[in-house]
Amino acid sequence: MNHIPRALTIAGSDSGGGAGIQADIKTFQELEVYGMSAITAITAQNTLGVTGIQEIDPDIVAKQIDAVVSDIGVDAAKTGMIANIEIMQIIAEKVKQYQILNLVVDPVMVSKSGHSLLEEEARLALKELLIPLAMVVTPNLPEAEVLIGKPLDRLEARKEAAQMFIDWGAKHVVIKGGHDKNKEKAEDLFYDGKEFVTLSAERFETKHTHGTGCTFSAAITAYLAKGVSPLEAVHQAKTFISQAISHPLQIGKGHGPTNHWAHRMRRE
């Protein structure tokens, strides 16, 4: 029997299905990886915004991780929305306990509606607890600026920021440039501590980008679970999310979700 790649997402639930756990599981499924979840929070949200958040008890988060890893096993995992330090501490402990080497850290801080999803003190803990365990960390420009503490409007500043993520312990970092409206292309900066690689894709003018970061990091996780190198995983994930953005579903009255099955069009 062939080995089935297994991926775990540790993140918040999005009732609208466009981001969070739901986006991650959809992405895993599309990329033929068996998906599992440990839910850190339940959110009431849709394409118009977040109307409520209920954090999950840290002990239940721990039990979810214990349950799936001890029985099914994990080839790669990712973190998304983590609302408090206690849950972050639990996740870090479990990643170490189960020696989950392929960890993708998506530092989710603000939703598309502008709602803060990570408490202020948890941002500092993120740098101390999870980033040092990351095989790949995937901040977008606003998230990187918050973590670094300064504007990153120049390429040189982004390179310095990437080095800081490596100094904090991450093995690889990709600073996503989708928020940089000064660029004709959507350019991400990948760094492994030695070499910088720019990943460029066409920029699409659409409001239907809800869950873009979740989907991108989930795709990286899926490819890592398949045994792909971090750089190739990011390359493939970039293609996957570009397809998802360029073929919007036109769902909802606000910032609609990306199209998780759009990549199939390349194979038809």
Side-chain angles (χ1 to χ4, degrees):
M1 180 177 177
N2 293 329
H3 173 71
I4 298 173
R6 304 151 299 176
L8 168 65
T9 170
I10 308 169
S13 169
D14 172 5
S15 55
I21 290 285
Q22 287 82 348
D24 296 342
I25 294 293
K26 290 175 184 178
T27 302
F28 294 161
Q29 187 76 10
E30 285 298 319
L31 295 176
E32 301 178 336
V33 170
Y34 184 77
M36 300 162 285
S37 65
I39 299 175
T40 61
I42 297 171
T43 69
Q45 65 175 298
N46 53 27
T47 66
L48 297 174
V50 179
T51 57
I53 297 177
Q54 176 65 58
E55 298 169 9
I56 302 298
D57 186 282
D59 184 56
I60 296 299
V61 176
K63 282 182 166 60
Q64 291 177 81
I65 298 172
D66 287 336
V68 297
V69 181
S70 63
D71 175 35
I72 300 169
V74 171
D75 296 304
K78 66 155 285 189
T79 64
M81 174 192 169
I82 307 169
N84 61 57
I85 294 175
E86 290 73 24
I87 294 176
M88 200 173 295
Q89 290 172 330
I90 286 292
I91 295 170
E93 290 172 9
K94 293 302 176 182
V95 168
K96 293 176 183 177
Q97 177 184 342
Y98 293 112
Q99 298 181 328
I100 300 174
L101 302 180
N102 285 324
L103 179 69
V104 177
V105 174
D106 182 14
V108 180
M109 293 184 180
V110 179
S111 70
K112 280 290 186 297
S113 65
H115 194 107
S116 177
L117 300 179
L118 188 65
E119 295 174 359
E120 187 69 33
E121 60 269 27
R123 299 179 186 182
L124 296 175
L126 183 71
K127 292 189 281 190
E128 296 178 358
L129 295 173
L130 287 185
I131 290 177
L133 301 176
M135 177 61 72
V136 184
V137 59
T138 64
N140 59 31
L141 276 177
E143 290 162 349
E145 288 177 341
V146 168
L147 289 169
I148 298 299
K150 65 178 182 180
L152 301 177
D153 49 1
R154 296 178 299 104
L155 177 59
E156 198 57 41
R158 293 177 196 182
K159 287 185 175 181
E160 292 173 0
Q163 181 62 58
M164 289 183 69
F165 280 99
I166 299 298
D167 291 344
W168 290 334
K171 291 181 175 61
H172 307 82
V173 58
V174 53
I175 299 178
K176 300 174 292 186
H179 287 74
D180 188 351
K181 300 304 181 183
N182 296 321
K183 299 282 187 179
E184 292 183 3
K185 299 279 189 178
E187 294 184 347
D188 301 337
L189 182 66
F190 176 90
Y191 185 52
D192 62 1
K194 297 179 181 178
E195 182 180 4
F196 290 99
V197 179
T198 299
L199 298 92
S200 182
E202 184 178 351
R203 181 182 295 279
F204 303 99
E205 292 303 322
T206 174
K207 67 176 182 177
H208 299 291
T209 56
H210 180 56
T212 301
C214 302
T215 299
F216 178 65
S217 58
I220 295 173
T221 307
Y223 284 114
L224 288 176
K226 289 181 167 186
V228 172
S229 72
L231 178 57
E232 183 60 24
V234 172
H235 266 298
Q236 295 286 351
K238 179 80 168 175
T239 300
F240 183 89
I241 193 60
S242 294
Q243 288 282 324
I245 294 172
S246 62
H247 296 85
L249 297 171
Q250 309 289 348
I251 287 176
K253 301 173 183 177
H255 293 287
T258 64
N259 184 349
H260 292 92
W261 60 80
H263 76 112
R264 299 182 197 178
M265 299 175 182
R266 289 188 298 152
R267 302 185 300 193
E268 295 175 353

